[in-house]
Amino acid sequence: MATYFTEPSRTFGEYLLVPGYSSSECIPSAVSLKTPLVKYRKGQEDCPLSMNIPMVSAIMQSVSNDTMAIALAKEGGVSFIYGSQSVEDEAAMVARVKSYKKGFIVSDSNVRPDATLADILALKEKTGHSTVAVTDDGTANGKLLGIVASRDYRISRMSTDLPVSEFMTPFEKLVVADEDTTLKEANDIIWDNKINSLPLIDKNQHLKCMVFRKDYDSHKENVNELLDKNKSYIVGAGINTRDYAERVPALVEAGADVLCIDSSEGFSEWQSRTISWIRAKYGDSVKVGAGNVVDREGFRFLAQAGADFVKIGIGGGSICITRETKGIGRGQATAVIEVAKARDEYFKETGVYVPICSDGGIVHDYHITLALAMGADFVMLGRYFSRFDESPTNKLRINGTYVKEYWGEGSNRARNWQRYDLGGAGKLSFEEGVDSYVPYAGALKDGVYVTLSKVRSTMCNCGALTIPELQEKARLTVVSSTSIVEGGSHDVILKNKATSVTE
């Protein structure tokens, strides 16, 4: 006979936090958002890998590439670079993130000398970078012929058909350095010559990488940046349960700090097989998360299989249609609450703390605080991060409003059959995601700052200065549909929507 859950499954939007006592010491600037990313044993002094903020970006084509990974690591979080691409391309993205903090950047803005000003402007719109390398073949490692910076052209005074060769700073006038130059030496050259960028070339004048003055400045500003022991940014990578024997070694070689199995349903033999293979080859040195699950049984299965963290959530993402397509899933709040209890039980039994990640269901910023209060150690976000400059999708203007493209891994556009195909049919039989737009939200740094300011403030309202303290002290209440309406502006005419009746 089928099992029936008597309690309805609820979403974050059905809960509010009831304020608790706040002491004078409980101020937002005193709140620590540090949280474990991977499992650790009771009595262990430090978690092997922690984050400074409880946010990771989703394993999606439209969200997590190397640009996103760098931006989020600067703020203290982790990106999981999408795995629905070739092994070589994913490993290359990981390698670019690991080399970035070291200051040696492989140029992603390159043109041939016969390109035009229009091409420069289009490339700047796509990458957001104002420095473009001019190489003989238009690649990042071609023979360096010159550099185009924003100071080299004036849109109002120059034809967009003008060839790059006519307004670039030619190689003969550039300050360059040998490819073996150290970062300290490169920074000294930049400062001594009062330049903004320094190309490093080989003996045949081929471009190897760039060092930028702005990166040196920015590293001093990002107090929460997440670094490994070599002072490189922490980065994650998505894997699947099909080609892991090829993909995992390549990602480990590229320097990935943590992996995560990307699957729509994690309570399966496929996941345990994948984890077992990783453990047999690498032991505990390679960290790997698994999921997704929505109940106690699913969590215990993955924890016992050896997962370093477990993701929670099926069908709660804004572009996910799994629930309406297949009729499976669970309200995200209910799923997090049950799995958090299972995590705590497992910790008491084994002495092993397995962090849990709430993946999906975040509509408003305060939902992040609710997820943490309910027991999540961190949250995975797709739509949230897809809105920022640093996501890999195009920014478009539709009906006068800027938007960014956003599509699900279960959509025909992504064609990520490895994530959704159970049994090895080798194709995407039907869609479980949609192709959409999201409102453009500017720079990630600014957006994350506002979001986490809200989280810290709410934690203070609950009398908590750390995430574990929030989970201990939080008092949550279910709200009615009427009280949800009451919680927003009501019974007023908003000024920006009012129409003047003055003649």
Side-chain angles (χ1 to χ4, degrees), residues 313-452:
I314 295 176
S318 61
I319 41 71
C320 185
I321 55 173
T322 294
R323 294 180 191 176
E324 64 182 70
T325 302
K326 297 171 66 176
I328 65 169
R330 200 176 195 187
Q332 190 68 6
T334 298
V336 169
I337 292 168
E338 179 171 321
V339 173
K341 290 179 179 178
R343 184 262 327 273
D344 293 343
E345 291 174 359
Y346 188 80
F347 180 51
K348 289 179 180 178
E349 293 173 12
T350 66
V352 177
Y353 186 92
V354 182
I356 57 175
C357 167
S358 177
D359 177 17
I362 303 294
V363 179
H364 303 291
D365 287 346
Y366 80 89
H367 289 172
I368 296 175
T369 319
L370 285 171
L372 298 174
M374 292 172 180
D377 295 282
F378 54 97
V379 296
M380 177 172 278
L381 304 160
R383 179 193 60 84
Y384 177 91
F385 285 117
S386 70
R387 306 170 301 146
F388 297 126
D389 287 322
E390 294 83 358
S391 75
T393 63
N394 295 319
K395 182 176 75 171
L396 308 172
R397 190 171 184 175
I398 299 178
N399 297 326
T401 301
Y402 282 107
V403 298
K404 294 205 74 176
E405 295 178 301
Y406 179 47
W407 61 90
E409 289 296 295
S411 67
N412 279 329
R413 182 170 182 174
R415 305 205 64 78
N416 185 2
W417 66 268
Q418 294 96 331
R419 187 182 203 275
Y420 293 90
D421 172 41
L422 297 177
K427 64 179 182 179
L428 191 67
S429 301
F430 54 87
E431 285 189 291
E432 291 187 48
V434 299
D435 197 347
S436 65
Y437 301 112
V438 290
Y440 169 66
L444 178 145
K445 183 179 183 69
D446 297 333
V448 168
Y449 173 81
V450 172
T451 296
L452 295 183

Side-chain angles (χ1 to χ4, degrees), residues 197-342:
S197 63
L198 178 69
L200 271 59
I201 59 174
D202 65 14
K203 61 182 180 179
N204 296 315
Q205 200 177 311
H206 287 90
L207 179 64
K208 305 305 292 184
C209 58
M210 303 280 287
V211 177
F212 292 94
R213 179 172 181 160
K214 65 178 179 61
D215 291 331
Y216 176 80
D217 294 335
S218 67
H219 295 333
K220 295 187 296 183
E221 298 173 1
N222 301 312
V223 295
N224 283 325
E225 61 183 359
L226 197 59
L227 307 174
D228 64 18
K229 62 182 180 180
N230 297 316
K231 305 300 182 183
S232 294
Y233 285 130
I234 299 291
V235 61
I239 62 173
N240 61 68
T241 58
R242 297 292 185 267
D243 65 2
Y244 53 83
E246 177 186 4
R247 190 172 297 268
V248 171
L251 295 174
V252 171
E253 176 67 23
D257 298 280
V258 57
L259 307 175
C260 185
I261 302 172
D262 185 27
S263 173
S264 63
E265 208 285 286
F267 196 176
S268 73
E269 182 181 346
W270 306 109
Q271 297 235 344
S272 61
R273 285 185 186 181
T274 303
I275 297 171
S276 294
W277 185 90
I278 293 173
R279 293 289 174 253
K281 185 174 179 64
Y282 297 101
D284 292 329
S285 65
V286 170
K287 307 303 180 184
V288 56
N292 287 19
V293 298
V294 293
D295 61 6
R296 177 181 182 275
E297 288 75 15
F299 168 82
R300 292 188 69 91
F301 172 79
L302 292 178
Q304 291 166 354
D308 283 290
F309 67 86
V310 173
K311 284 204 296 152
I312 308 162
I314 295 176
S318 61
I319 41 71
C320 185
I321 55 173
T322 294
R323 294 180 191 176
E324 64 182 70
T325 302
K326 297 171 66 176
I328 65 169
R330 200 176 195 187
Q332 190 68 6
T334 298
V336 169
I337 292 168
E338 179 171 321
V339 173
K341 290 179 179 178

